[in-house]
Each structure stands twice: as structure tokens, then as C-alpha cells.
Amino acid sequence: MKLISIAVCRVDKDDSKDADGDKSTILCQEIDTSGVWVGKGSMKEMATFIIREISGRIEVLTMKSLEYKGNICHAFKQQNGLCVCALTDDKYPPRAAHGLIRNVLKDFSSCKKEQEWQNAGDNQIKWAKLGQLLATYQDPPKDKIEEIQSEIDKSKKIVVQSIEKVMENMEKLDDLVEKSNDLSNTSRMFYKKSKKMNRCCTIL
């Protein structure tokens, strides 16, 4: 069971003709690379890539759980464009991830004023608590279970969809990998090599 990454994003509507989803800015992100011996850099880049692409495509006020190659990106976007994504392996309880996302949104909104994050760029919001939450929720302690349980009532039925449902098909995901500014050439090669082995870049 592993919680790989948590990110808080701002999603801005993109109505341009060539837009492929809305524009997502990753305000702050924490990634746990413990236990990864090879490809840590690529793992971080792929986590950022997937979070950016999914946060820019999900519907407002809908909790999504999207699976790809044994890992899941859970995400929720508010009406004001604030979105939280939690990237986990497939053993991490989806309901715990959903409870975590709601807690992150609540804590972030109470700590950071909207004018502070509305015009911020990638990784320009410093929020130390996100790293603490990443560590705490690796194995949610018993005193958090009641908090999570109360959040479960808000989303009783959790349906885990394939990431291709959002990105339409595998070829489209490949195209996004090629175009993404989040990925280095090394990560693109790592993605292609991992895909041939029926897994994506260790985490996806």
C-alpha cells in the first residue's frame, strides 16, 4: 500500500481552438520516492505529467478514480478551479484517498487565500503541511479513520475507471507524453520501455 504523490492544482478554462483539456497549474506537490531505486527522476516527472493531464480533464464537483497499469489517480475539482490529486498504488484504499483529498482541500482553503493562489505559477505556493499529510497518510492512523469514514458518506459508491476513459485511447496518451513539457527525453524513453513490459514508468 503506497501513497505516491499529492498535488494541489489550479485549473483554468481553456477555450482556445486547439485546446486539449483545460490548463492545469500545479501549485504545490509532494512525491514519495522511498523504495524506488531506479528512475526516481522519471517517476517524479510521470507523476507530475499524469496529475496535470487528469486535473485538466475531470468534471467539476466529481470525485474521479482513474486506473492505469496498477496505479490510481484520485482527483476532485471545485467550482473555483481548485483541484487536488492523490496518486496511489492499487492497494491503497480508494475511500481513504478520497477522504484525504477532501481534507487537503479543506486545509488548503483555510490556510491559503484565493488571491494568493489564483495567479501563482507551478510550484509557487509553499505549503509545508502537504508533505506532512503525504507522510501521515502512507498508512492512515486510527485517529484519522473516523474523519475518513465521515467523508465516505459523501461518496458511497466509488467506481474506478480506466485512465483511457478520460484520455479516450492509448494512442492519445502516447501523444500527450510526446508533447508534455513535464517530461524529459529520458522519461519519454522510460515510458516507452515500460509500456512494452506492460507497466508504465514504475508508478503508472
Side-chain angles (χ1 to χ4, degrees):
M1 183 173 75
K2 187 168 181 66
L3 174 60
I4 299 163
S5 179
I6 314 172
V8 180
C9 310
R10 184 190 70 246
V11 182
D12 301 307
K13 195 72 179 171
D14 189 345
D15 294 321
S16 61
K17 186 178 178 182
D18 299 325
D20 186 13
D22 291 329
K23 182 182 178 185
S24 179
T25 300
I26 298 178
L27 301 171
C28 51
Q29 181 181 16
E30 292 291 339
I31 303 173
D32 183 357
T33 60
S34 61
V36 177
W37 303 103
V38 179
K40 284 189 178 184
S42 293
M43 172 182 172
K44 289 179 179 179
E45 289 179 6
M46 285 303 298
T48 298
F49 163 72
I50 289 295
I51 285 170
R52 194 187 302 278
E53 297 301 333
I54 287 177
S55 59
R57 285 170 171 75
I58 64 170
E59 300 94 342
V60 173
L61 300 179
T62 302
M63 185 73 78
K64 287 286 187 181
S65 293
L66 301 164
E67 184 272 344
Y68 186 66
K69 302 296 184 187
N71 290 272
I72 301 174
C73 184
H74 308 273
F76 182 81
K77 181 164 59 180
Q78 296 184 154
Q79 288 178 313
N80 62 0
L82 199 63
C83 178
V84 172
C85 296
L87 194 60
T88 73
D89 65 13
D90 59 359
K91 295 180 178 63
Y92 196 90
R95 287 176 175 174
H98 289 195
L100 167 60
I101 286 171
R102 294 186 189 278
N103 284 339
V104 171
L105 278 168
K106 183 174 65 176
D107 290 352
F108 184 87
S109 297
S110 65
C111 291
K112 303 292 181 181
K113 294 181 179 178
E114 192 165 333
Q115 54 264 41
E116 184 179 350
W117 55 262
Q118 266 203 328
N119 297 308
D122 278 341
N123 300 305
Q124 287 188 350
I125 298 297
K126 304 302 178 188
W127 191 41
K129 188 168 183 181
L130 194 62
Q132 297 168 10
L133 288 167
L134 182 70
T136 299
Y137 277 84
Q138 286 299 334
D139 184 12
K142 289 182 179 179
D143 63 352
K144 296 289 181 185
I145 297 301
E146 286 186 13
E147 289 179 34
I148 292 171
Q149 190 64 43
S150 68
E151 298 301 336
I152 290 172
D153 296 334
K154 298 176 184 177
S155 53
K156 290 207 171 184
K157 187 178 180 183
I158 296 172
V159 178
V160 178
Q161 294 179 305
S162 167
I163 196 172
E164 284 88 347
K165 294 287 185 183
V166 171
M167 298 189 179
E168 290 182 9
N169 53 49
M170 193 62 205
E171 286 67 37
K172 185 170 182 180
L173 183 56
D174 290 346
D175 289 342
L176 290 170
V177 167
E178 289 300 324
K179 295 175 186 175
S180 175
N181 293 323
D182 290 320
L183 302 175
S184 63
N185 288 333
T186 300
S187 291
R188 289 190 183 94
M189 288 175 61
F190 197 63
Y191 165 83
K192 290 173 183 175
K193 200 175 292 184
S194 298
K195 184 184 167 189
K196 288 178 182 177
M197 297 169 66
N198 199 34
R199 61 191 180 91
C200 180
C201 306
T202 305
I203 60 165
L204 297 164

